[in-house]
Amino acid sequence: MKRRIASIFLAGAGMVFAYSAQSSVIISEIMHHPQSDSNAEQWFELYNTEDSSVDLSGWVVSEGCNFVFPAGTKIGARDNIVVAANTEIFSSLYPEANSVVGNWSGSIGTHIRLTDALGRTVDDVNFATDGDWAQRR
């Protein structure tokens, strides 16, 4: 997607712990708690930080949700791709989004791990959904 579909990172989340193995693809946004409370409206976005496209064929999302990228899935140079729990619902909520894959099983929970087709960890994000992170002191 050329335009951000949300101006939030980890909506409603507290602490974020990220790991990246020098990868050009990162988990850039997470919608883990939609206003409707429906897991079918969950999604997250990947961003390619490089100047060339990356083939995501066979890459795996694991931990809370489970998804394998279909053959031929690519993320363009310096571009985004959304991974949605339910692509039909996502597209109805964000019709301007044009790079969406998904229909995963499970729920995001508080942990997302992205591995490449060889099983190497590309990005790994843990986050909390509570705490005093939003309180001004």
Side-chain angles (χ1 to χ4, degrees):
M1 296 178 339
K2 297 290 183 203
R3 189 174 142 251
R4 286 276 195 237
I5 56 176
S7 60
I8 52 175
F9 179 72
L10 297 171
M15 301 164 51
V16 178
F17 305 96
Y19 165 81
S20 182
Q22 300 285 7
S23 174
S24 63
V25 178
I26 60 170
I27 299 167
S28 57
E29 290 189 53
I30 301 172
M31 172 55 80
H32 78 284
H33 189 214
Q35 188 173 7
S36 69
D37 284 330
S38 171
N39 288 345
E41 292 182 17
Q42 292 181 334
W43 56 266
F44 61 92
E45 179 183 80
L46 302 179
Y47 178 71
N48 179 4
T49 63
E50 296 294 321
D51 291 327
S52 58
S53 65
V54 174
D55 186 354
L56 301 175
S57 301
W59 286 33
V60 176
V61 176
S62 62
E63 294 309 318
C65 60
N66 298 295
F67 179 73
V68 178
F69 287 85
T73 305
K74 294 184 179 184
I75 183 171
R78 305 231 176 250
D79 205 358
N80 305 305
I81 189 169
V82 170
V83 185
N86 183 305
T87 57
E88 187 175 324
I89 290 173
F90 180 87
S91 294
S92 72
L93 294 170
Y94 306 98
E96 72 280 5
N98 57 14
S99 188
V100 181
V101 296
N103 299 323
W104 70 52
S105 62
S107 171
I108 287 178
T110 59
H111 188 191
I112 301 173
R113 176 175 291 139
L114 178 66
T115 55
D116 65 18
L118 298 176
R120 297 175 296 204
T121 298
V122 174
D123 204 0
D124 194 357
V125 178
N126 289 288
F127 55 95
T129 59
D130 56 8
D132 64 356
W133 62 272
Q135 296 177 6
R136 294 186 186 265
R137 295 181 189 259

